[in-house]
Amino acid sequence: MTQLTGKTALVTGGSRGIGAAIARRLAREGADVALTYVSSAERAGAVAAAIEAGGRRALAIAADSADPQAVAAAVERTVAGLGRIDILVNNAGIFPYEPLEAVALETFDRAMAIHVRAAFVAAQAAARHMREGGRIINIGSCLAERTGGPNMTVYAASKAALTGLSKGLAQDLGARGITVNVVHPGPVDTDMNPADADAADAQRQGLPLGHFGSADDVAAMVAHLAGEGGRFVTGAAISVDGGFSA
Ligand code: NDP
């Protein structure tokens, strides 16, 4: 018996990187897990298969977070397929990086749709089904707290919005015993931010710990918040960033 036995989770963007690590970790803690993807059907299927091989149920759901109907439908498919939803992790993300003068309005709208609107829609849909003890965990970014350089206005703004979203939801859902928090990762070695890319050394220099985090480092915090350890934590913005924001 592990701490999430009997619970079910939905992780958006669970096919790769941080989301895949979260999906696997929640399953190791005993949860059945649904995960969404937009383009990596094979990788999403592999994460689901690994979860099933570990004895939990899993669902891989194609759902573009830019499409609010697809996001709401993913929540309903989770409930229909796994019977309930106890944990929602809004993780799907993109990294627009462009000089201010080159940023198209479509880029702004897309980042807001994937990072903010999708998190709102999923939370609203999931809250209808969640019972006392429910958990909503949004994956933000250390760049929401300290942007640290140019070309990231849209990304930072969309991730900073998740802090306000999380605090508002914490107020809305607290009376029902549902907690809502945002986790702000720092540089984590994934396809989005490879630790061997040209930009990596500059990031390492800004980190008191001097090295990138792993997706499992973020998953450990999410598992903590999802479990008993998160019972009295709500409306919080928690950095898992190697000290980037220190
Ligand atoms: P990756 O690029 O490695 O993975 C992104 C994941 O999000 C994939 O599963 C991808 O699905 C999914 N995704 C992207 N767009 C959509 C969409 N429109 N609809 C549904 N799913 C989508 O990123 P990371 O794992 O690094 O990042 C995960 C989260 O952590 C993001 O929100 C990111 O902003 C945040 N973060 C990451 C940091 C880092 O250094 N890596 C630092 C701070 C925050 P598919 O495989 O189908 O494309």
Side-chain angles (χ1 to χ4, degrees), residues 13 15-16 18 38-40 64-65 91 140 155 159 185-186 188 190 193:
S15 48
R16 295 184 280 128
I18 292 170
V38 65
S39 54
S40 307
D64 184 350
S65 288
N91 163 81
Y155 183 78
K159 290 297 190 173
V188 170
T190 64
N193 191 11

Side-chain angles (χ1 to χ4, degrees), residues 175-232:
R176 290 176 50 200
I178 297 169
T179 69
V180 189
N181 295 288
V182 58
V183 171
H184 290 310
V188 170
D189 185 18
T190 64
D191 295 342
M192 183 184 279
N193 191 11
D196 59 0
D198 288 347
D201 277 339
Q203 293 179 67
R204 273 187 280 270
Q205 279 161 21
L207 292 174
L209 290 181
H211 61 83
F212 272 47
S214 71
D216 288 336
D217 293 328
V218 182
M221 177 56 73
V222 171
H224 174 75
L225 290 171
E228 274 298 293
R231 251 165 47 98
F232 198 56

Side-chain angles (χ1 to χ4, degrees), residues 40-138:
S40 307
E42 213 168 294
R43 294 179 74 168
V47 175
I51 289 170
E52 283 173 345
R56 308 308 329 159
R57 290 183 298 161
L59 279 179
I61 303 170
D64 184 350
S65 288
D67 174 356
Q69 281 161 356
V71 173
V75 172
E76 298 310 324
R77 272 197 64 191
T78 302
V79 175
L82 301 178
R84 52 193 279 165
I85 182 166
D86 304 284
I87 301 158
L88 168 67
V89 184
N90 287 305
N91 163 81
I94 55 172
F95 185 62
Y97 181 91
E98 281 178 312
L100 178 63
E101 52 281 9
V103 177
L105 201 52
E106 289 73 26
T107 303
F108 180 93
D109 288 344
R110 187 166 170 75
M112 290 296 172
I114 293 172
H115 293 158
V116 190
R117 187 176 66 191
F120 174 77
V121 168
Q124 196 180 42
R128 290 191 192 108
H129 298 282
M130 275 183 179
R131 311 164 195 206
E132 183 163 354
R135 303 280 200 264
I136 298 174
I137 300 158
N138 297 316

